[in-house]
């Protein structure tokens, strides 16, 4: 009886993972990969990375994690279906990591299984596994970082420090995939500080995490004058905050002129107008370098955010929700 219980405690995750895998196989066989409008902002840099023709603007609009992932998968000869198959596998791995972390922290198999079920069968999670979007990869890296952080909390000595460093390194990679996940840099050390050796664990976590994101932010500062993880977040939010542009301000006059022309051509709908304005400046008579055109768009986004902070936050929220 004790042997059976030991095996059951060891293999119980399969009760969650096998049905989840069958569901994902069904979805992968029956659904085409979902390539949406902003997928091109990941696919283009991935293709540039594969060609070795990186211009410096290849990851300007987005952090580099997902383009590197796409380049790795497609570079092995796979297309978009290979990308979504890999993402389904990462979805399963995320559920496993969450269950392991929950079991370490709570010691309860039912609680850990419930956490795995909620993640493995969540409609939003399944959607992003099928889409050429960065959310799934970011979530997987966060779940894996959480697992190593839980191991660090429940162990001692050098093993705990190694796990904490691994959690920090993977957490930094998550932030370089989805910038909002940089918040994990503040949350995890607060948890790791508990118990003996907490300060050492927290420092081991924070050091590689901070190093990764600060290096990337310095790169953006040197290349584009913006000490942020993703300078083009302002460009993305202009998709919905475009109506807040201060047309009376003399700043960014050239970009505003092209934006107004693109807006008129789009029937007054601000959707994708910022991208069209960037292309007009880059490919039109002005022949403005792409980096500069993108930087102008980002600067206009920042001006809009500072002039209308609350309305800008609401617009950004609608953009991410949509």
């Amino acid at each position: 009886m004790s042997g059976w219980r030991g095996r059951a405690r060891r293999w119980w995750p399969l009760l969650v993972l096998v049905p989840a895998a069958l569901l994902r196989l069904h979805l992968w066989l029956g659904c085409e990969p979902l390539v949406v409008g902003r997928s091109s902002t990941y696919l283009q840099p991935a293709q540039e990375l594969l060609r070795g023709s990186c211009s410096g603007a290849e990851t300007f609009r987005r952090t580099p994690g997902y383009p590197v992932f796409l380049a790795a998968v497609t570079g092995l000869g796979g297309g978009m279906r290979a990308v979504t198959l890999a993402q389904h596998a990462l979805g399963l791995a995320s559920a496993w990591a969450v269950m392991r972390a929950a079991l370490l922290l709570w010691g309860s198999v039912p609680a850990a299984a419930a956490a795995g079920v909620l993640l493995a069968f969540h409609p939003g999670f399944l959607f992003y596994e099928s889409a050429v979007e960065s959310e799934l990869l970011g979530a997987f890296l966060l779940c894996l970082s959480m697992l190593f952080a839980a191991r660090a909390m429940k162990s001692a000595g050098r093993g705990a420090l190694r796990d904490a460093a691994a959690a920090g390194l993977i957490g930094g990679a998550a932030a370089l995939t989805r910038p909002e996940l940089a918040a994990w840099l503040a949350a995890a050390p607060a948890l790791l500080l508990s118990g003996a050796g907490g300060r050492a664990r927290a420092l081991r976590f924070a050091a590689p995490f901070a190093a990764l994101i600060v290096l990337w932010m310095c790169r953006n500062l040197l290349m584009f004058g913006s000490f942020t993880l993703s300078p083009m977040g302002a460009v993305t939010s202009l998709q919905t905050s475009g109506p807040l542009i201060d047309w009376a301000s003399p700043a960014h006059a050239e970009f505003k002129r092209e934006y107004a022309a693109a807006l008129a051509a789009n029937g007054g709908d601000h959707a994708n107008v910022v991208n069209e304005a960037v292309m007009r400046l880059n490919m039109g008579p002005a022949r403005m370098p792409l980096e500069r055109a993108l930087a102008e768009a980002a600067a206009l986004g920042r001006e809009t955010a500072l002039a209308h902070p609350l309305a800008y936050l609401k617009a950004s929220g609608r953009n991410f929700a949509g």
Side-chain angles (χ1 to χ4, degrees), residues 47-74:
Q47 292 165 2
E48 291 182 5
L49 289 169
L50 286 173
R51 293 195 302 265
S53 60
C54 305
S55 64
E58 77 282 353
T59 48
F60 183 38
R61 288 193 60 188
R62 305 287 183 188
T63 41
Y66 195 57
V68 170
F69 169 78
L70 289 176
V73 175
T74 56

Side-chain angles (χ1 to χ4, degrees), residues 195-208:
R199 181 177 297 180
R201 289 196 302 266
L203 288 174
R204 283 296 182 97
F205 172 89

Side-chain angles (χ1 to χ4, degrees), residues 23-82:
L23 174 60
R24 281 160 172 77
L25 179 62
H26 172 74
L27 292 173
W28 184 74
L29 292 174
C31 301
E32 290 297 316
L34 181 59
V35 181
V36 298
R38 66 174 182 167
S39 298
S40 62
T41 64
Y42 299 116
L43 292 168
Q44 180 179 347
Q47 292 165 2
E48 291 182 5
L49 289 169
L50 286 173
R51 293 195 302 265
S53 60
C54 305
S55 64
E58 77 282 353
T59 48
F60 183 38
R61 288 193 60 188
R62 305 287 183 188
T63 41
Y66 195 57
V68 170
F69 169 78
L70 289 176
V73 175
T74 56
L76 294 174
M80 292 303 98
R81 288 190 64 79

Side-chain angles (χ1 to χ4, degrees), residues 147-156 159-161 163-165 167 192 201:
L147 172 57
F148 276 96
R151 287 177 47 160
M153 291 175 64
K154 294 299 180 179
S155 57
L161 297 180
D163 286 336
L192 291 169
R201 289 196 302 266

Side-chain angles (χ1 to χ4, degrees), residues 68-101:
V68 170
F69 169 78
L70 289 176
V73 175
T74 56
L76 294 174
M80 292 303 98
R81 288 190 64 79
V83 169
T84 55
L85 180 61
Q87 291 182 173
H88 282 312
L90 293 182
L92 285 174
S94 300
W96 173 83
V98 165
M99 288 190 290
R100 290 295 303 165

